[in-house]
Amino acid sequence: MTITDMRVRTVLLPLEAPLRHSTGVHPARFIRTILEIFTDEGIVGLGEVGGGDQRGALLKLKPRLIGESPYALERIKQKTLRQIYYLSNPRLYAAIELACLDIQAKAANLPLCDLIGGKLHDSVPFSAYLFYRYEEGGKGGETTPEQMVRWTRELVARYGFKSAKLKCGVLPPDHDVDVIKALRAEFGPRFGLRLDPNGYWSRGTAIHVAHALEECRLEYLEDPTWGLEGMARVKERTSLPLATNMCVTNFEHVAAGIAMNSVDIILSDIYYWEGVRGVKTLSTLCDCFRWGLSMHSGSELGVTMAAMIHTCATLPNLSYDADAHYHHLLDDIIEGGLMQPEEGRYKVPTGPGLGVTLDEDRMGRYTELFEKEGDYYARFHEDTRNADWFPINPGW
Ligand code: MG
């Protein structure tokens, strides 16, 4: 089988409300580029990548794919990720690899998980992803502990989540402590809780917050401060496990992360770690070094969400509920619309390949919406309610 063509389309999907984080505001929409790889046997593979409009970057790699076998992933990785310094981007490779794996699994008439070790579970637990949200169109506007608890209660009632992560670094850290304590009081000792300021606190603030929250038994404190060295110094001073998707984010960082004893848990991500197969390698490394393994979210739509579910279902050492922004979306681009969890768990799709199909009506609608609204990545961090503000790290 050989690759004959590639199609790329950028879509814009609406969210319920804008999401605040340490470097600004995520507007109430996600932009993703959807990739289709065509073969001479008529099988089409799906991929997806974030970071705004990625059509140009993907099309630059197209000549390196045409004529290749979708089974030749090591060749494709060498040609698209390892040889062209200015274009080498693990996110783009991950999208291409995903489409090739989708083709391979469809050709074998097997679900993707069967190609990568087979599933250990029929469904995968995800966590509620809490942000301080700006109000827009009558939705969002949660800031106080009471408002955050009320919204989390709604999410738990609707989706059955058994855990929640709070994205912080927006308000004074003692406010975050109050929110976490309110969530712990509301949902009891078995509810999983995590806190993530995206490395935005000084070491002193990080240690202060860690001490204040030790009684709350967080599952982990995620990137409380910047860098391998900063994390190592905080880790010396707290019993809370420290997790990261900011300081150990690729294979080169692993040796330093171990040598410096910077973290306890790695958040895997198919885009950071060179695709689904890279996450499988990371899983083995985590076993070797006794790191915990969790999964990061980067505002995925249904194609990536399906890939995350397939991958998570095969990871024996994934001991935390996965993150996903997915429940913030108002619609998806796949047939059937948004997948729905039961008891906080998303079922592993059972159809061949990723088990999801593009809905052409939705693709048309959200491609048009992208063309109308444009690529917001040039002003991604802009907080329109806080003119002229920009983040300085550490912020607290
Ligand atoms: Mg994070």
Side-chain angles (χ1 to χ4, degrees):
M1 194 180 343
T2 56
I3 295 171
T4 55
D5 201 4
M6 174 203 276
R7 174 157 68 156
V8 287
R9 287 180 281 178
T10 299
V11 290
L12 183 145
L13 277 283
L15 306 188
E16 229 178 46
L19 312 174
R20 303 180 67 192
H21 55 84
S22 64
T23 51
V25 179
H26 201 120
R29 47 204 184 274
F30 287 162
I31 295 175
R32 305 287 286 185
T33 299
I34 305 300
L35 164 71
E36 289 163 282
I37 288 182
F38 298 86
T39 63
D40 59 347
E41 295 187 14
I43 300 175
V44 183
L46 297 179
E48 176 188 322
V49 66
D53 181 358
Q54 297 279 16
R55 291 175 297 181
L58 282 164
L59 287 174
K60 279 183 187 156
L61 298 173
K62 178 176 162 180
R64 291 169 180 263
L65 296 174
I66 302 300
E68 286 293 342
S69 162
Y71 295 95
L73 292 175
E74 296 297 349
R75 273 179 61 86
I76 290 172
K77 184 187 271 191
Q78 292 299 318
K79 289 175 73 174
T80 60
L81 183 59
R82 299 279 189 252
Q83 290 187 1
I84 35 178
Y85 179 80
Y86 291 106
L87 291 180
S88 65
N89 180 337
R91 291 160 177 79
L92 301 177
Y93 169 73
I96 292 166
E97 187 198 85
L98 185 57
C100 290
L101 288 172
D102 190 31
I103 291 167
Q104 291 181 25
K106 282 171 175 164
N109 198 28
L110 292 170
L112 175 61
C113 56
D114 282 0
L115 252 59
I116 54 172
K119 64 183 177 184
L120 295 160
H121 317 284
D122 290 328
S123 62
V124 173
F126 280 72
S127 137
Y129 204 162
L130 309 177
F131 290 75
Y132 299 114
R133 299 193 301 177
Y134 277 146
E135 189 275 336
E136 194 170 286
K139 292 283 188 180
E142 302 86 0
T143 299
T144 67
E146 295 73 24
Q147 289 166 334
M148 295 301 284
V149 164
R150 193 179 316 129
W151 177 39
T152 310
R153 215 187 289 131
E154 287 168 19
L155 291 172
V156 167
R158 189 166 170 195
Y159 300 114
F161 294 126
K162 305 284 191 285
S163 57
K165 165 162 138 178
L166 173 62
K167 180 67 78 185
C168 57
V170 172
L171 299 170
D174 285 338
H175 182 91
D176 304 322
V177 169
D178 291 343
V179 172
I180 291 290
K181 285 184 174 174
L183 290 168
R184 176 57 77 221
E186 173 72 16
F187 295 101
R190 288 176 174 272
F191 194 77
L193 285 172
R194 309 129 185 213
L195 187 62
D196 177 15
N198 280 2
Y200 199 53
W201 296 335
S202 69
R203 292 179 196 183
T205 298
I207 292 164
H208 164 76
V209 172
H211 288 173
L213 288 177
E214 279 179 359
E215 68 187 62
C216 280
R217 295 179 56 195
L218 294 187
E219 287 182 295
Y220 48 76
L221 187 54
E222 186 175 322
D223 292 306
T225 197
W226 189 262
L228 290 163
E229 176 67 21
M231 290 284 280
R233 298 285 79 79
V234 173
K235 191 163 135 52
E236 285 168 356
R237 302 281 300 275
T238 178
S239 63
L240 286 180
L242 299 192
T244 188
N245 69 286
M246 294 183 75
C247 68
V248 180
T249 60
N250 64 47
F251 293 105
E252 268 193 87
H253 297 159
V254 170
I258 291 297
M260 297 169 74
N261 196 21
S262 300
V263 294
D264 300 288
I265 295 146
I266 306 294
L267 272 67
S268 64
D269 182 305
I270 67 172
Y271 296 102
Y272 292 17
W273 294 91
E274 302 181 359
V276 166
R277 296 183 319 133
V279 168
K280 299 288 292 186
T281 304
L282 172 65
S283 159
T284 305
L285 286 174
C286 285
D287 257 357
C288 293
F289 297 115
R290 306 318 302 165
W291 271 339
L293 181 65
S294 187
M295 185 163 277
H296 172 250
S297 166
S299 66
E300 306 81 12
L301 304 182
V303 173
T304 302
M305 189 66 180
M308 287 164 68
I309 297 168
H310 279 284
T311 307
C312 287
T314 71
L315 297 173
N317 52 347
L318 184 79
S319 40
Y320 302 93
D321 297 351
D323 283 341
H325 291 74
Y326 195 69
H327 66 83
H328 292 276
L329 284 162
L330 295 178
D331 199 2
D332 200 347
I333 45 147
I334 56 174
E335 282 182 8
L338 289 166
M339 293 178 268
Q340 297 296 334
E342 284 174 24
E343 291 295 302
R345 303 179 72 96
Y346 287 86
K347 284 204 175 74
V348 182
T350 51
L354 283 164
V356 295
T357 311
L358 295 182
D359 178 325
E360 283 303 325
D361 284 345
R362 288 182 162 100
M363 282 299 293
R365 195 180 319 148
Y366 296 121
T367 304
E368 250 177 56
L369 201 54
F370 172 74
E371 296 302 334
K372 186 171 150 229
E373 295 208 14
D375 192 345
Y376 64 64
Y377 268 71
R379 53 184 197 282
F380 177 56
H381 302 302
E382 190 177 68
D383 183 344
T384 52
R385 305 183 200 200
N386 211 350
D388 300 327
W389 174 87
F390 65 92
I392 296 171
N393 203 316
W396 298 101

